[in-house]
Amino acid sequence: MTYERKKPLPAHLARKAERDARLAKEQADARAAAQEKGKANKKYYLEQGKKHHEAWEARRLEMIKAKRDAKANGELFVEEEGKVLLVVRIKGINKMDPKSRKIMNLLRLRQLHNAVFLRNNKAVMNMLRRVEPYVTYGSPSLSTVRQLVYKRGYGKLNKQRIPLSNNYVIEEGLGEQGIRCMEDLINEVITCGPNFKKTNNFLWPFKLNSPKGGLRMKRTPYLNGGDHGPRGDNINAFAKRMI
């Protein structure tokens, strides 16, 4: 019985086989690492969601207790003013003076029915009063913030508008600030946390629909039965008509 000697592979084929084996191993290692990271991230997302929910529920129960104690003692309880404002643009650019147009650009309200979150402070309020005939604003609830982010949320990565379709988009844009998932982002906005400015800059201005049922009187302030100007907590019902 005779055996034929197996001829060695040519040098270029040997190099190709070695390269293919190395790439296959690297791909397998990367896939395994991605699976491990996915498991760790899933656990982190669940823990963060639970932590933020418990913290918000504790604040809600504390507020209810404070109101009941004040009523029992015959006192008047005044809630703390919201730290964050939701501002919605309800008018176009017709007959808008240059200064108001500049303020609208600074607030990132460049299009009709755009909406943004803003910190509630004196500087912002001064600008809003200057452009009040073109916007309406108020204090958003946790439910409104969550609906806006989940249903209309887009992030800014490399100056491009990217939908918040998964948590990896948020981690890439805000991971350095410790914000890695949707619940982290929502909590940072609603509590006006230390990284609110970077978080708000990451969020692209929300593009909303025309309000269901239409507007009543755009030229009249909300407090006089119209639409523009401050709405307080009623901004939540208005925003839900536009989401």
Side-chain angles (χ1 to χ4, degrees), residues 205-240:
F206 301 99
K207 296 185 177 184
L208 306 182
N209 295 324
S210 300
K212 293 181 180 178
L215 298 172
R216 290 177 291 182
M217 291 178 286
K218 291 194 292 186
R219 298 181 181 181
T220 306
Y222 177 76
L223 299 178
N224 293 340
D227 290 298
H228 71 75
R231 290 175 179 255
D233 294 338
N234 294 329
I235 192 67
N236 297 297
F238 182 75
K240 288 177 182 178

Short mmCIF file of all heavy atoms in Angstrom, two decimals, residues 205-240:
data_model
loop_
_atom_site.label_atom_id
_atom_site.label_comp_id
_atom_site.label_asym_id
_atom_site.label_seq_id
_atom_site.Cartn_x
_atom_site.Cartn_y
_atom_site.Cartn_z
N PRO A 205 -34.27 68.96 18.93
CA PRO A 205 -35.60 69.54 19.18
C PRO A 205 -36.71 68.63 18.66
O PRO A 205 -36.63 68.09 17.56
CB PRO A 205 -35.55 70.87 18.41
CG PRO A 205 -34.10 71.22 18.38
CD PRO A 205 -33.35 69.92 18.29
N PHE A 206 -37.73 68.43 19.48
CA PHE A 206 -38.83 67.54 19.11
C PHE A 206 -39.67 68.16 18.00
O PHE A 206 -40.02 69.34 18.07
CB PHE A 206 -39.71 67.26 20.33
CG PHE A 206 -38.98 66.62 21.47
CD1 PHE A 206 -38.54 67.39 22.54
CD2 PHE A 206 -38.72 65.27 21.48
CE1 PHE A 206 -37.88 66.82 23.60
CE2 PHE A 206 -38.04 64.68 22.53
CZ PHE A 206 -37.62 65.45 23.60
N LYS A 207 -39.98 67.36 16.99
CA LYS A 207 -40.85 67.80 15.90
C LYS A 207 -42.23 67.20 16.12
O LYS A 207 -42.43 65.99 15.94
CB LYS A 207 -40.27 67.37 14.55
CG LYS A 207 -38.93 68.02 14.23
CD LYS A 207 -38.45 67.68 12.84
CE LYS A 207 -37.14 68.40 12.52
NZ LYS A 207 -36.70 68.17 11.13
N LEU A 208 -43.19 68.03 16.52
CA LEU A 208 -44.51 67.56 16.89
C LEU A 208 -45.53 67.82 15.78
O LEU A 208 -45.27 68.58 14.84
CB LEU A 208 -44.97 68.26 18.18
CG LEU A 208 -44.01 68.15 19.38
CD1 LEU A 208 -44.61 68.86 20.58
CD2 LEU A 208 -43.70 66.70 19.70
N ASN A 209 -46.68 67.17 15.91
CA ASN A 209 -47.77 67.38 14.97
C ASN A 209 -48.56 68.63 15.34
O ASN A 209 -48.40 69.20 16.44
CB ASN A 209 -48.72 66.17 14.98
CG ASN A 209 -48.04 64.91 14.48
OD1 ASN A 209 -47.23 64.96 13.57
ND2 ASN A 209 -48.38 63.78 15.08
N SER A 210 -49.44 69.05 14.45
CA SER A 210 -50.40 70.09 14.80
C SER A 210 -51.30 69.55 15.91
O SER A 210 -51.66 68.37 15.90
CB SER A 210 -51.23 70.48 13.58
OG SER A 210 -50.40 70.97 12.54
N PRO A 211 -51.69 70.38 16.87
CA PRO A 211 -52.51 69.87 17.98
C PRO A 211 -53.87 69.37 17.51
O PRO A 211 -54.51 69.99 16.67
CB PRO A 211 -52.65 71.10 18.89
CG PRO A 211 -52.36 72.26 18.03
CD PRO A 211 -51.39 71.81 17.00
N LYS A 212 -54.26 68.21 18.02
CA LYS A 212 -55.58 67.67 17.68
C LYS A 212 -56.66 68.63 18.18
O LYS A 212 -56.64 69.06 19.33
CB LYS A 212 -55.76 66.29 18.32
CG LYS A 212 -54.84 65.23 17.75
CD LYS A 212 -55.09 63.88 18.41
CE LYS A 212 -54.16 62.81 17.83
NZ LYS A 212 -54.36 61.50 18.49
N GLY A 213 -57.59 68.94 17.31
CA GLY A 213 -58.63 69.90 17.67
C GLY A 213 -58.26 71.32 17.33
O GLY A 213 -59.11 72.21 17.43
N GLY A 214 -57.01 71.54 16.93
CA GLY A 214 -56.57 72.87 16.52
C GLY A 214 -56.34 73.82 17.70
O GLY A 214 -56.49 73.46 18.86
N LEU A 215 -55.93 75.02 17.36
CA LEU A 215 -55.72 76.08 18.35
C LEU A 215 -56.95 76.97 18.42
O LEU A 215 -57.74 77.04 17.49
CB LEU A 215 -54.48 76.91 17.97
CG LEU A 215 -53.15 76.15 17.92
CD1 LEU A 215 -52.06 77.04 17.35
CD2 LEU A 215 -52.76 75.66 19.31
N ARG A 216 -57.08 77.66 19.54
CA ARG A 216 -58.25 78.53 19.71
C ARG A 216 -57.98 79.91 19.12
O ARG A 216 -58.56 80.29 18.12
CB ARG A 216 -58.61 78.61 21.19
CG ARG A 216 -59.20 77.32 21.74
CD ARG A 216 -59.49 77.41 23.21
NE ARG A 216 -58.26 77.47 23.99
CZ ARG A 216 -58.23 77.51 25.33
NH1 ARG A 216 -59.35 77.49 26.01
NH2 ARG A 216 -57.08 77.56 25.97
N MET A 217 -57.07 80.65 19.77
CA MET A 217 -56.73 82.00 19.30
C MET A 217 -55.24 82.21 19.55
O MET A 217 -54.82 82.47 20.68
CB MET A 217 -57.56 83.06 20.02
CG MET A 217 -59.03 83.05 19.64
SD MET A 217 -59.99 84.29 20.56
CE MET A 217 -60.07 83.51 22.17
N LYS A 218 -54.45 82.10 18.48
CA LYS A 218 -53.00 82.21 18.64
C LYS A 218 -52.57 83.62 19.06
O LYS A 218 -51.52 83.79 19.66
CB LYS A 218 -52.30 81.83 17.33
CG LYS A 218 -52.39 80.36 16.98
CD LYS A 218 -51.42 79.98 15.89
CE LYS A 218 -51.80 80.61 14.55
NZ LYS A 218 -50.93 80.11 13.46
N ARG A 219 -53.35 84.63 18.72
CA ARG A 219 -52.96 86.00 19.03
C ARG A 219 -53.34 86.41 20.45
O ARG A 219 -53.04 87.54 20.86
CB ARG A 219 -53.61 86.95 18.02
CG ARG A 219 -53.18 86.70 16.58
CD ARG A 219 -53.83 87.69 15.63
NE ARG A 219 -53.44 87.44 14.25
CZ ARG A 219 -53.85 88.17 13.22
NH1 ARG A 219 -54.71 89.16 13.41
NH2 ARG A 219 -53.44 87.87 11.99
N THR A 220 -54.02 85.55 21.18
CA THR A 220 -54.49 85.87 22.52
C THR A 220 -53.75 85.02 23.55
O THR A 220 -53.53 83.83 23.32
CB THR A 220 -56.00 85.60 22.64
OG1 THR A 220 -56.68 86.30 21.60
CG2 THR A 220 -56.54 86.05 23.99
N PRO A 221 -53.34 85.61 24.68
CA PRO A 221 -52.65 84.82 25.70
C PRO A 221 -53.52 83.69 26.24
O PRO A 221 -54.76 83.78 26.26
CB PRO A 221 -52.33 85.85 26.79
CG PRO A 221 -52.38 87.16 26.12
CD PRO A 221 -53.40 87.04 25.03
N TYR A 222 -52.87 82.65 26.72
CA TYR A 222 -53.60 81.51 27.25
C TYR A 222 -54.45 81.91 28.45
O TYR A 222 -55.58 81.40 28.62
CB TYR A 222 -52.60 80.42 27.65
CG TYR A 222 -53.24 79.22 28.30
CD1 TYR A 222 -53.92 78.28 27.53
CD2 TYR A 222 -53.19 79.03 29.68
CE1 TYR A 222 -54.52 77.17 28.11
CE2 TYR A 222 -53.79 77.92 30.28
CZ TYR A 222 -54.45 77.01 29.49
OH TYR A 222 -55.06 75.92 30.08
N LEU A 223 -53.94 82.79 29.28
CA LEU A 223 -54.68 83.21 30.46
C LEU A 223 -55.94 83.98 30.12
O LEU A 223 -56.83 84.14 30.96
CB LEU A 223 -53.78 84.05 31.38
CG LEU A 223 -52.54 83.33 31.91
CD1 LEU A 223 -51.69 84.28 32.76
CD2 LEU A 223 -52.93 82.10 32.73
N ASN A 224 -56.04 84.50 28.89
CA ASN A 224 -57.24 85.21 28.44
C ASN A 224 -58.08 84.37 27.49
O ASN A 224 -58.90 84.89 26.75
CB ASN A 224 -56.85 86.53 27.75
CG ASN A 224 -56.22 87.51 28.70
OD1 ASN A 224 -56.39 87.42 29.92
ND2 ASN A 224 -55.47 88.48 28.17
N GLY A 225 -57.85 83.05 27.49
CA GLY A 225 -58.63 82.17 26.65
C GLY A 225 -58.00 81.84 25.31
O GLY A 225 -58.63 81.19 24.47
N GLY A 226 -56.75 82.29 25.09
CA GLY A 226 -56.07 82.03 23.82
C GLY A 226 -55.12 80.86 23.91
O GLY A 226 -55.41 79.85 24.56
N ASP A 227 -53.94 81.00 23.27
CA ASP A 227 -53.01 79.87 23.20
C ASP A 227 -51.59 80.18 23.64
O ASP A 227 -50.93 79.31 24.20
CB ASP A 227 -52.96 79.34 21.76
CG ASP A 227 -54.25 78.65 21.35
OD1 ASP A 227 -54.60 77.65 21.98
OD2 ASP A 227 -54.91 79.14 20.43
N HIS A 228 -51.07 81.37 23.38
CA HIS A 228 -49.65 81.60 23.66
C HIS A 228 -49.43 82.00 25.11
O HIS A 228 -50.35 82.42 25.81
CB HIS A 228 -49.07 82.64 22.70
CG HIS A 228 -49.54 84.04 22.93
ND1 HIS A 228 -49.10 84.82 23.98
CD2 HIS A 228 -50.41 84.83 22.24
CE1 HIS A 228 -49.65 86.01 23.93
NE2 HIS A 228 -50.46 86.04 22.88
N GLY A 229 -48.17 81.87 25.52
CA GLY A 229 -47.81 82.25 26.88
C GLY A 229 -47.77 81.07 27.84
O GLY A 229 -47.90 79.91 27.45
N PRO A 230 -47.61 81.36 29.14
CA PRO A 230 -47.47 80.29 30.14
C PRO A 230 -48.77 79.53 30.35
O PRO A 230 -49.85 80.10 30.39
CB PRO A 230 -47.04 81.05 31.41
CG PRO A 230 -47.57 82.44 31.22
CD PRO A 230 -47.49 82.71 29.74
N ARG A 231 -48.63 78.21 30.54
CA ARG A 231 -49.78 77.34 30.79
C ARG A 231 -49.68 76.60 32.11
O ARG A 231 -50.65 75.95 32.52
CB ARG A 231 -49.91 76.30 29.67
CG ARG A 231 -50.34 76.83 28.33
CD ARG A 231 -50.33 75.75 27.28
NE ARG A 231 -50.76 76.27 25.99
CZ ARG A 231 -51.96 76.04 25.46
NH1 ARG A 231 -52.84 75.28 26.11
NH2 ARG A 231 -52.29 76.54 24.28
N GLY A 232 -48.52 76.61 32.75
CA GLY A 232 -48.35 75.84 33.97
C GLY A 232 -48.41 74.35 33.69
O GLY A 232 -47.86 73.84 32.71
N ASP A 233 -49.15 73.62 34.53
CA ASP A 233 -49.28 72.17 34.35
C ASP A 233 -50.12 71.80 33.14
O ASP A 233 -50.07 70.64 32.68
CB ASP A 233 -49.90 71.54 35.61
CG ASP A 233 -48.98 71.68 36.82
OD1 ASP A 233 -47.76 71.84 36.61
OD2 ASP A 233 -49.49 71.63 37.95
N ASN A 234 -50.90 72.73 32.62
CA ASN A 234 -51.75 72.42 31.46
C ASN A 234 -50.95 72.20 30.18
O ASN A 234 -51.53 71.80 29.16
CB ASN A 234 -52.77 73.54 31.25
CG ASN A 234 -53.77 73.63 32.39
OD1 ASN A 234 -54.10 72.63 33.01
ND2 ASN A 234 -54.25 74.83 32.68
N ILE A 235 -49.64 72.44 30.23
CA ILE A 235 -48.80 72.18 29.05
C ILE A 235 -48.78 70.67 28.75
O ILE A 235 -48.59 70.27 27.59
CB ILE A 235 -47.36 72.69 29.28
CG1 ILE A 235 -46.58 72.68 27.96
CG2 ILE A 235 -46.66 71.88 30.33
CD1 ILE A 235 -47.07 73.64 26.95
N ASN A 236 -49.05 69.85 29.76
CA ASN A 236 -49.02 68.39 29.56
C ASN A 236 -50.15 67.94 28.64
O ASN A 236 -49.94 67.16 27.71
CB ASN A 236 -49.10 67.68 30.90
CG ASN A 236 -47.92 67.99 31.80
OD1 ASN A 236 -46.79 67.67 31.47
ND2 ASN A 236 -48.18 68.63 32.93
N ALA A 237 -51.35 68.46 28.88
CA ALA A 237 -52.49 68.10 28.03
C ALA A 237 -52.28 68.62 26.61
O ALA A 237 -52.61 67.94 25.63
CB ALA A 237 -53.78 68.64 28.61
N PHE A 238 -51.69 69.83 26.49
CA PHE A 238 -51.44 70.40 25.18
C PHE A 238 -50.40 69.59 24.41
O PHE A 238 -50.56 69.31 23.22
CB PHE A 238 -50.97 71.85 25.35
CG PHE A 238 -50.73 72.56 24.04
CD1 PHE A 238 -51.78 72.99 23.25
CD2 PHE A 238 -49.43 72.81 23.61
CE1 PHE A 238 -51.55 73.64 22.06
CE2 PHE A 238 -49.20 73.47 22.42
CZ PHE A 238 -50.26 73.89 21.64
N ALA A 239 -49.32 69.17 25.11
CA ALA A 239 -48.27 68.40 24.44
C ALA A 239 -48.79 67.04 23.99
O ALA A 239 -48.44 66.56 22.90
CB ALA A 239 -47.09 68.22 25.39
N LYS A 240 -49.66 66.41 24.77
CA LYS A 240 -50.17 65.09 24.41
C LYS A 240 -51.07 65.17 23.19
O LYS A 240 -51.22 64.18 22.47
CB LYS A 240 -50.91 64.49 25.60
CG LYS A 240 -49.96 64.05 26.71
CD LYS A 240 -50.70 63.52 27.92
CE LYS A 240 -49.70 63.14 29.02
NZ LYS A 240 -50.38 62.66 30.24
#
